Amino acid sequence: HNLIHGNTTVGVEGLPGAEVRFNRIYENACGILADTALIHHNLLYRNADEAVWIDGGTNVAIVSNTIYAPQGDGVRLENAASEIDVRNNIVWTATGCGLYVADDCQFGYTSDYNNYYATSSGKIAFQGKSFTDLYDWQVEAESDLHSIGSTVVDPTLDAPQFVDLGADDFRLQTSSTSID
């Protein structure tokens, strides 16, 4: 249960075989940079560039994390990252992308059972193009078919409903659709 913050580059570098879990990772340039790792049950918030960055890594599981990215991306996959599993996360972005998938990573990942929520100029995902509507991304990318998030039909239905975002209290209110 570490508090990892204030780093000008990377908060945590997950080396091959690493398990990054139960941390509060905030106000770094990049929250977690991982190669081959299990990243689970972390709270990542207010990191400047990306919360989780997989740069050419393989066999990485990103599971059950809460990510709040008022700037930058929630999860970023680049440089032929493959065998990446993004599952059961809450990812809220305000200017970046919830999930950014570079062209050379499009067939190297799976993603499902997440809540991708975007406000302001944030986007649900980037996969060949930017998506601001979860349904559009689900249809075009054939991904995240069980996920919830921002849609044009009801933009705020799946807002995570944190107890107090301004005070960095990321517990969920009992009415949140992100529970279970």
Side-chain angles (χ1 to χ4, degrees), residues 27-65:
E27 296 177 356
N28 303 288
C30 169
I32 299 171
L33 172 62
D35 185 351
T36 304
L38 172 57
I39 301 166
H40 66 97
H41 296 93
N42 295 287
L43 175 57
L44 298 111
Y45 59 98
R46 303 186 195 286
N47 293 289
D49 298 325
E50 54 275 310
V52 179
W53 181 22
I54 311 302
D55 185 20
T58 186
N59 196 21
V60 178
I62 304 164
V63 181
S64 298
N65 298 284

Side-chain angles (χ1 to χ4, degrees), residues 81-133:
S82 63
E83 298 179 45
I84 311 301
D85 184 27
V86 183
R87 187 167 309 279
N88 199 39
N89 300 285
I90 298 171
V91 184
W92 180 346
T93 56
T95 60
C97 295
L99 176 61
Y100 180 96
V101 181
D103 291 342
D104 60 358
C105 302
Q106 289 190 27
F107 301 103
Y109 83 99
T110 58
S111 180
D112 210 355
Y113 297 98
N114 299 291
N115 181 349
Y116 288 113
Y117 185 69
T119 53
S120 301
S121 63
K123 293 151 192 74
I124 298 298
F126 177 90
Q127 188 168 343
K129 67 179 189 177
S130 294
F131 291 92
T132 57
D133 184 282

Side-chain angles (χ1 to χ4, degrees), residues 129-148:
K129 67 179 189 177
S130 294
F131 291 92
T132 57
D133 184 282
L134 179 69
Y135 294 144
D136 290 343
W137 182 47
Q138 288 171 325
V139 169
E140 288 193 41
E142 297 179 357
S143 184
D144 274 278
L145 299 179
H146 300 99
S147 291
I148 60 176

Side-chain angles (χ1 to χ4, degrees), residues 1-5 7 11-12 19-26 28 31-32 40-45:
H1 300 280
N2 298 302
L3 297 176
I4 301 164
H5 61 94
N7 295 288
V12 174
E19 184 173 354
V20 181
R21 62 182 181 166
F22 306 123
N23 300 292
R24 289 179 72 101
I25 302 169
Y26 61 99
N28 303 288
I32 299 171
H40 66 97
H41 296 93
N42 295 287
L43 175 57
L44 298 111
Y45 59 98

